[in-house]
Amino acid sequence: MIHHSVRIPIGWKNPVSLFFFGDLQYTIKGAKGFDQSAWDCFKDEFRATPHAYAIGLGDYGDFLRPTQQSKMYQALSADDSARRQQDDLVRSNHDKIIEVLGFLEGKVIGLHEGHHEWKFASGENTTQRLCSALKTTYLGWMASTRVVLEVTGSRATSRSTCSRSYTIISLHGTGNSRFVSTDARWLESNLVPAWGADHYVRGHGCKCDAWEPFEFNEVRRSGPAGVKKMIRRCLMVGGFHDGYTNGWESSYVERAGFLPQPRAWGVIRLKITSSKKALEEIGCGSNSICLDVEHLTRTPPSKSYE
């Protein structure tokens, strides 16, 4: 698990939007699964959103799954020349993925690895190579991220009110199921009870949902007797891969009989507020500030087919 902290400026009237994306499973030659039109919608929305940043949840390409990677590594282990040729082939294809994600450079908080990875002979994997190209942080499989929002503007007058932190537990994800509710239960059962954070985010399942599983109450250790209240928020992020394509070539999604899922991405919007009601709810003084949080899943505009 990787622990990461990033500082982002935020104004009183300028919310920060954190975009979560993954599971492009992009291939150059091919295969029909990658939905370019959905990716273009994500790209347009990200570019049009002020103060937007992104976190990637893995599987940007569609190379070998882990079960096949080990067989390939073993086959190439005794032939250095073949290994170099294979690395060069993967590197050439990977350059296109870097190009596809290039518009995010300078706006990416970090990138997770996924199942579809290739580890080069140098020891670097494809997600680490992507991080180097986009000049961002490698988040591995699972990470905690502390987003420190530095308040700008005339109201940020004292040290106690100049910043607020928002914490996120994120990962690519493990396991897949036929129903959104099952994947949601996995997130609630395996992450929320064990890690104290503001938000929990996962990808992999190509399913999308945003919900608040419960209100967390922490008994105060100092000050007036009572509890501090915290709303736990969960976000499952879809992908950009179409499991049921228009053609004769079936994907593993189609052969397994999974339900078709919409292409989707997730957004967390953070806005500063100093309303008296909001402050009272979290037990803060009148000179404090707090965050107004909105989270949602986004899909491309609906299409109609003849």
Side-chain angles (χ1 to χ4, degrees):
M1 185 174 182
I2 292 175
H3 302 289
H4 176 50
S5 179
V6 61
R7 306 185 80 86
I8 295 175
I10 184 173
W12 284 90
K13 296 182 179 180
N14 301 311
V16 166
S17 296
L18 307 179
F19 283 72
F20 293 82
F21 71 97
D23 291 279
L24 280 71
Q25 299 187 15
Y26 182 90
T27 54
I28 292 181
K29 299 190 177 181
K32 299 179 181 178
F34 174 66
D35 192 329
Q36 182 67 55
S37 62
W39 179 251
D40 288 340
C41 289
F42 166 79
K43 183 177 179 179
D44 291 344
E45 181 176 314
F46 183 87
R47 282 177 158 175
T49 303
H51 313 292
Y53 300 85
I55 291 179
L57 297 173
D59 281 358
Y60 315 103
D62 190 28
F63 203 58
L64 296 174
R65 296 179 180 84
T67 53
Q68 301 302 317
Q69 289 171 18
S70 58
K71 297 176 183 178
M72 179 71 82
Y73 294 144
Q74 184 177 3
L76 296 172
S77 62
D79 191 332
D80 292 341
S81 177
R83 178 60 190 266
R84 285 195 297 271
Q85 293 180 54
Q86 182 62 45
D87 281 1
D88 289 344
L89 178 62
V90 173
R91 197 176 288 112
S92 176
N93 291 340
H94 195 246
D95 286 343
K96 182 61 178 178
I97 297 175
I98 293 174
E99 181 181 333
V100 169
L101 272 67
F103 71 95
L104 293 169
E105 183 177 343
K107 289 288 189 175
V108 186
I109 293 173
L111 296 175
H112 286 279
E113 67 177 66
H115 288 95
H116 297 266
E117 296 283 341
W118 179 255
K119 188 173 184 179
F120 300 100
S122 64
E124 181 184 53
N125 66 33
T126 45
T127 297
Q128 290 170 323
R129 185 172 187 263
L130 183 58
C131 288
S132 296
L134 298 183
K135 300 178 177 61
T136 189
T137 301
Y138 175 65
L139 297 180
W141 186 266
M142 179 177 175
S144 71
T145 300
R146 182 174 64 222
V147 180
V148 181
L149 300 162
E150 298 183 322
V151 182
T152 61
S154 59
R155 299 180 70 181
T157 56
S158 70
R159 186 176 182 86
S160 63
T161 62
C162 66
S163 69
R164 281 294 178 268
S165 295
Y166 196 78
T167 56
I168 301 168
I169 297 290
S170 57
L171 76 167
H172 174 63
T174 302
N176 203 349
S177 60
R178 297 181 184 275
F179 303 107
V180 174
S181 59
T182 309
D183 273 354
R185 187 167 62 249
W186 184 95
L187 187 59
E188 286 191 34
S189 301
N190 293 281
L191 288 189
V192 179
W195 304 93
D198 296 306
H199 232 116
Y200 306 83
V201 185
R202 68 159 281 181
H204 174 60
C206 292
K207 299 177 180 66
C208 52
D209 197 7
W211 74 103
E212 296 77 24
F214 56 80
E215 178 186 74
F216 183 78
N217 292 271
E218 180 183 2
V219 178
R220 290 178 179 163
R221 298 176 182 273
S222 61
V227 297
K228 291 183 179 180
K229 297 180 180 294
M230 177 185 290
I231 298 175
R232 304 294 203 202
R233 292 179 172 89
C234 297
L235 183 64
M236 288 197 310
V237 178
F240 296 89
H241 188 268
D242 188 355
Y244 288 79
T245 57
N246 184 14
W248 61 268
E249 187 177 354
S250 299
S251 72
Y252 73 93
V253 175
E254 184 176 334
R255 291 192 295 271
F258 286 118
L259 291 169
Q261 297 295 325
R263 267 56 73 205
W265 56 95
V267 182
I268 298 174
R269 292 199 175 97
L270 304 172
K271 182 174 66 174
I272 293 176
T273 178
S274 58
S275 70
K276 182 178 179 180
K277 180 180 179 181
L279 294 170
E280 289 176 347
E281 287 178 351
I282 62 173
C284 291
S286 58
N287 293 324
S288 300
I289 61 173
C290 63
L291 292 176
D292 183 356
V293 182
E294 177 188 19
H295 66 150
L296 66 158
T297 59
R298 298 281 297 135
T299 60
S302 298
K303 297 178 181 179
S304 60
Y305 298 92
E306 296 181 355

